[in-house]
Amino acid sequence: MNQQATAGKGQIRSADPVKFRSRPWAATLILIGGLIALVFGIAVSVSFGAADIKLSVVWTAVFQFNPDLTDHQIIRELRMPRVLGAAMVGASFAVAGAIMQGMTRNPLADSGLMGINSGAGFALAVCFAFFPQLPFMYVIMYSFIGAGMGAGIVYGIGSLSRGGLTPARLVLAGAAFSALLSALSEGIALYFNIGQDLAFWYAGGVAGTKWFQLKIMFPWIGGAIIGAIILSRSISMLSLGEDVARGLGQRTGLVKLAGALIVLILAGASVSVVGAVGFIGLIIPHLTRYLVGVDYKWIIPCSAVLGSLLAIFADLTARMIIPKHETPFGAIIALIGVPFFLYLARKERREL
Amino acid sequence: MSYESARRRRGLFILATIFVLIVIAFIISVNTGYIRLTPLELLNTMLGKGTDKQELILFDFRLPRIVISLLIGAGLAVSGAVMQGVFRNDLADPGILGINAGAGLMVMLMVSFYPTTNAAPVFFLPVIAFVGAGLTAALIYVLAYKRHEGIKPIRLLLTGVAVAAGISAAMIVLTLRLDPDKYQFVATWLAGSIWGTSWKFVLSLLPWIVILVPYVIYKARVMNVLNLGEQTAVGLGANVNKEQFKLLAAAVGLAAASVAVSGGIGFVGLVGPHLARRLVGPKHQLMLPASALLGALLVITADTIGRWILQPSEIPTGIVVAVIGAPYFLYLLARTKS
């Protein structure tokens, strides 16, 4: 982060439109190569499973669908929504993380660590318990509200603190608040006997993704990612520090509001489909920054692609580890994410 | 001197008050449940003059559970007080540091491979939990340790949060391989319900609390010295590393034994010591006993509330404690300077 800030500052003096140190070639390579890998990954993932299906059958199932064939049915109704769901959610968490890290200049920012995911989760538990018949559209709306509530409270407590808002404070406030919300969700689950529904959902699964969920989710997530790309320039400037951004004539309040809204939509929609999966939004933006530099114009689309890839391969691994048993998707991501978080917590030079 | 003794008297008065509150909570708790026992019936039953049914309810169901909640409350709170003292960080707590999770993982492994009904493993559970907690504590310590800097409290907390997240992920993977009965057991265990509600669990827990709590109180003077900061403590002639290690081992033992029978009850180790410090001041001679009593009071109250609110079903104690404890943690977080 420090290096990024100084790199940016050095160039502000020389030229206005601000240029950020970035590697457009690397970024283009990631975008093109990543998309190809994504298509390949989706194909492999669709063909792999309890019933092994040849890639050629996958092809015909997609382009010459025959409802009488079981294989085609499996592909259409189970595997494709699952894989596309994973890809969408991965992109969404990753972009949300990138925006949060850029706007707050907090290297540990992630929707899972900061109470957003558990806020959305709590809202879902309430929905499952009190309004079981609610259409999915409304469930998503409540999930947004829950995400907003979680973020607001954690951020509020963090910034009300004496001594200001440090990254570590945010993480701790997030951890405590998440503990509270999951205790409440568990209480609701036990009382209303919806424990299994919720447990499955908490474990973070893409296995149950349905087409109609994707259809409702897609406009939200797609729109939010496009919004993020439009906002990317402003986020780059904010990542230099609020004062610098204001000095460059940016209306920081407006940008922050738009950014927060996009994060809530991305995290809320994703959580409502796969549950409280953490750490994608932490890992991917760091990796992307390392690969393409500090310009959010490149970071955001590349994060989306890499996040999708991570989610697809985590889902594939989750199915492969113990055949016949589904290993939760969220657990796989956590097993990668935890060491990474530890590494960041150690490396961080600034006073956490 | 007279100031000091006035303060001491005030402290003892507060301890006595908390004790009275525990007795009141005890009476209410015995009374709470599907079948009610009035104080008079309770007295009669205690003296051996109750009906068979009353005796069964009191001695076989309610009393062991209440005794266990008192013991784990005291154990967790003292464990938290020691950790806060040793790390000189107000936010240290066996739950937040991930030590509960480590103990829990071992207990879960054991439960999933042995039937829970056998008597022998019950006495083994605290030991197993202690091994898990100790390993986790060591792991967190190593991960948070940096050459030239040593242990920074905030890095320790972050590391604890991360390790706890990793362990819960591992637990989720493990739960999937359990059969439904055991899954149900593990799920309630994770939510922090006092599951070992019989005298054999009391017996398995008691030695740990009875030995370690007095041991820690006996070390109160050392903790006062440690609280002055490492350099001052060394200057005063304390063998800092050795004392820290002994105290931490005791804290881990207390947390592990409590977690083994109570599951994932968090925040007691945080709330107890903080309230104690407010009420009787920072001197450990009074603060540690006050923590123990407050922890016991907190858990017995939470357990009673959990049994009472949604009768006839009950809420796991851990959930009630989290609902009380998490806001308090956030409040403390907002108040402390970095």
Side-chain angles (χ1 to χ4, degrees), chain A residues 175-176 179-180, chain B residues 93 95-96 100 265-272 298 321-326 329:
Chain A
L180 173 64
Chain B
D93 162 88
I96 291 165
N100 287 0
I265 295 187
F267 294 108
V268 180
L270 186 86
V271 177
L298 175 64
V321 175
V323 170
I324 305 169
F329 177 86

Side-chain angles (χ1 to χ4, degrees), chain B residues 169-192:
Chain B
M171 278 187 169
I172 289 172
V173 174
L174 283 172
T175 48
L176 286 173
R177 309 183 59 174
L178 297 176
D179 56 65
D181 281 354
K182 283 187 171 164
Y183 177 80
Q184 189 60 37
F185 172 79
V186 169
T188 11
W189 187 87
L190 287 175

Side-chain angles (χ1 to χ4, degrees), chain A residues 99 102-105 155 231 233-261:
Chain A
I99 297 175
M103 284 200 321
T104 60
R105 308 180 73 200
Y155 199 81
L231 207 63
R233 203 184 142 66
S234 310
I235 295 171
S236 296
M237 286 205 260
L238 265 183
S239 73
L240 301 176
E242 207 160 329
D243 294 339
V244 180
R246 211 175 285 127
L248 289 167
Q250 190 182 81
R251 294 163 70 186
T252 50
L254 198 69
V255 173
K256 279 191 156 182
L257 186 71
L261 213 61

